[in-house]
Amino acid sequence: MKKYFSFLLVIVISFSGYGQESDSSDELFQKARTVAFDQKDYVTAIALSKQALLLSPEYTDISIFLGRLYTWTDNWEAARVVFKDLDLREVQDEDYFVAYASLEYWNDQNEKAIEIIDKGLKYNPRSETLWLLKAKVYNGVDNYAGAQKSVDGLLAINSTNTEARELSVRLNELTSKNQIGLTYNLSHFDKQFDDDWHIMGLSYKRNTKYGSVILKGNFANKFASNGTQVELEAYPKLSKIFYMYVGAGYSNDVGIFPKYRTGASLNANLPRSFEAEIGYRHLYFSENLFLYTASVGKYYKNYWFNLRTYITPDSKNISQSYTGTVRYYTKGADDYFAFQIGTGISPEDYRSNLLENYTYKLKTFKMGAEYNFSIKKVNIFSVGAMYFNQEYQPQKKGNQYDLSVGYSRRF
């Protein structure tokens, strides 16, 4: 019935303003694109494309467009007939392979999609669209190693591809089962404290199909006293778009660390390479302290921009913290320069001990930089420096200088 209706529509169009005798295949093709994109009238666009192909049966671009139209109208078999005919004609156009592979990918025919993409890459080895589609297909079936390899192939061609950069960072957390890490931070104060602070952290991360789980142990020497803390964090996946952060910690050395800490956030990977987070953090020293956080991030070419805030309400005032971060990726997801600037105190920052008594809105300015790099993708190194100008008592300010180093190993 659909074929009969489409045949009648071609005849009707031939006698209408859309299909005058003077219309060439190019003009009909343009009209088909116009009614498809501007009016979303795919039925008429299909009829116009067929009429154009009657005039120019070997016009590859029109055939590819017709296959796409059938795909958009869920007429999968008709689309396959068009694409298979192009395959018999040994068409080598990049757009053909993208359209055909997309059809199979959207219909969960992932092996067929990869087969089409690989054939397309033989003819178009520098096609960013094909490399990205291949990464998405592999990612969709949880073949993270294949997806990462495809993304790496794309970034080798164009390191500023925004979608590839975003996907590379997300895949980076999924391509290895285990990771151990060691960090060290030194804090020096010019006025607030006589003794330097030393903080060390040891972590073990395990990736599962449900998300990653991280066990941490922290050791600190503050005020010439030692303290330890244990933490457990998890990032369960809810869908391809949403995932959670949940965490909890305990320490018996109150003052050096909070006795308890908990936190939870909902994270989203949004369209146009945006990401967002909203959640809370809870700290308990000698009384409860609740903080609410939100952040928005954006990937653009080699850059990642992020703005985060913490809001701490109490009976006397609302304390606020704002931090802006910019990363510039040099190669993979572990290779970047980062720059940070902000105001206020972050509860994620163990270098601060000002959160226990926070009834006065103390002012803090901070700025710093970090360099992250990897060797053979399994050894990750980091080095950073931060400067704080903070009001440690009302109307009294001092400077704090931090140096940090870190090493992680994937296996």
Side-chain angles (χ1 to χ4, degrees):
M1 186 67 183
K2 286 184 178 179
K3 290 183 178 178
Y4 177 71
F5 176 75
S6 195
F7 175 73
L8 287 178
L9 193 58
V10 170
I11 294 176
V12 171
I13 287 174
S14 298
F15 292 96
S16 70
Y18 277 120
Q20 314 226 347
E21 288 185 7
S22 59
D23 282 345
S24 66
S25 56
D26 280 322
E27 290 170 328
L28 289 167
F29 184 25
Q30 184 56 49
K31 289 178 180 178
R33 292 174 61 84
T34 299
V35 297
F37 295 129
D38 295 348
Q39 302 171 28
K40 306 301 179 185
D41 185 353
Y42 299 131
V43 174
T44 300
I46 288 171
L48 286 166
S49 299
K50 286 183 173 181
Q51 187 181 358
L53 286 172
L54 289 175
L55 298 175
S56 304
E58 303 298 315
Y59 201 143
T60 300
D61 288 347
I62 300 177
S63 292
I64 295 171
F65 184 62
L66 178 60
R68 287 187 182 276
L69 289 168
Y70 281 136
T71 301
W72 297 338
T73 54
D74 297 338
N75 194 346
W76 317 119
E77 291 309 314
R80 287 190 177 100
V81 169
V82 173
F83 291 138
K84 287 177 180 177
D85 178 66
L86 291 170
D87 185 40
L88 292 173
R89 287 160 49 187
E90 298 184 347
V91 170
Q92 300 179 12
D93 290 25
E94 173 193 19
D95 196 37
Y96 155 64
F97 292 106
V98 171
Y100 193 5
S102 296
L103 164 68
E104 301 300 352
Y105 170 49
W106 294 332
N107 281 274
D108 296 323
Q109 301 300 310
N110 297 295
E111 289 186 11
K112 182 64 176 179
I114 292 295
E115 177 188 324
I116 296 165
I117 292 169
D118 285 340
K119 186 174 180 179
L121 286 171
K122 289 181 181 178
Y123 297 118
N124 307 276
R126 296 184 64 81
S127 169
E128 296 180 34
T129 307
L130 285 172
W131 278 114
L132 184 60
L133 182 57
K134 186 174 183 178
K136 289 180 177 178
V137 175
Y138 276 135
N139 185 49
V141 295
D142 297 337
N143 185 343
Y144 303 123
Q148 186 66 67
K149 186 176 180 180
S150 301
V151 167
D152 290 343
L154 196 165
L155 291 174
I157 297 167
N158 178 11
S159 64
T160 65
N161 187 295
T162 300
E163 282 192 85
R165 180 63 63 191
E166 176 195 9
L167 185 56
S168 175
V169 172
R170 284 194 275 127
L171 288 170
N172 191 52
E173 298 297 316
L174 302 168
T175 51
S176 60
K177 289 292 185 182
N178 304 281
Q179 181 172 323
I180 57 172
L182 181 65
T183 59
Y184 169 73
N185 184 89
L186 168 68
S187 298
H188 175 75
F189 306 87
D190 64 348
K191 294 180 181 179
Q192 188 177 2
F193 302 111
D194 294 329
D195 298 305
D196 293 339
W197 288 2
H198 306 270
I199 305 173
M200 295 186 64
L202 179 65
S203 65
Y204 169 70
K205 179 178 179 180
R206 172 73 177 182
N207 283 318
T208 74
K209 64 180 181 179
Y210 303 108
S212 58
V213 180
I214 307 171
L215 178 64
K216 296 180 178 180
N218 301 308
F219 168 82
N221 179 275
K222 298 180 179 179
F223 321 109
S225 298
N226 297 327
T228 58
Q229 181 191 50
V230 177
E231 296 179 282
L232 182 64
E233 298 179 330
Y235 294 83
K237 294 187 292 184
L238 305 180
S239 69
K240 291 294 183 183
I241 296 176
F242 296 102
Y243 66 95
M244 290 284 296
Y245 159 79
V246 289
Y250 172 79
S251 175
N252 200 38
D253 300 299
V254 180
I256 297 177
F257 292 105
K259 187 173 185 65
Y260 304 108
R261 68 168 292 268
T262 64
S265 292
L266 177 64
N267 299 264
N269 297 309
L270 302 174
R272 298 184 180 276
S273 300
F274 278 94
E275 58 185 21
E277 177 185 354
I278 186 168
Y280 86 94
R281 303 292 185 267
H282 163 242
L283 303 174
Y284 179 82
F285 290 91
S286 56
E287 59 182 35
N288 289 310
L289 181 70
F290 288 92
L291 307 95
Y292 303 94
T293 184
S295 75
V296 60
K298 164 70 175 176
Y299 289 91
Y300 177 72
K301 296 185 177 180
N302 287 54
Y303 294 90
W304 176 70
F305 303 92
N306 181 269
L307 180 63
R308 176 177 292 278
T309 182
Y310 287 97
I311 306 296
T312 312
D314 61 33
S315 59
K316 296 185 179 180
N317 62 64
I318 297 178
S319 299
Q320 303 172 51
S321 167
Y322 299 95
T323 303
T325 304
V326 178
R327 286 182 184 174
Y328 176 79
Y329 289 93
T330 57
K331 293 188 295 182
D334 296 308
D335 304 275
Y336 59 82
F337 292 95
F339 304 92
Q340 190 177 91
I341 189 169
T343 62
I345 298 168
S346 164
E348 315 289 353
D349 190 352
Y350 300 119
R351 295 169 290 196
S352 171
N353 199 53
L354 302 176
L355 289 168
E356 184 173 4
N357 299 298
Y358 209 36
T359 56
Y360 177 81
K361 190 187 294 186
L362 299 169
K363 301 175 180 65
T364 299
F365 169 79
K366 58 187 177 183
M367 63 182 300
E370 180 185 1
Y371 176 49
N372 238 65
F373 65 97
S374 62
I375 298 177
K376 296 183 178 180
K377 292 191 175 182
V378 296
N379 299 288
I380 302 100
F381 299 86
S382 66
V383 58
M386 289 287 294
Y387 163 74
F388 299 81
N389 179 263
Q390 56 188 7
E391 189 177 19
Y392 56 92
Q393 292 180 8
Q395 309 303 321
K396 291 186 178 181
K397 291 186 177 182
N399 298 311
Q400 176 181 337
Y401 307 91
D402 281 20
L403 292 175
S404 61
V405 293
Y407 169 73
S408 296
R409 170 80 181 188
R410 293 196 183 102
F411 59 98

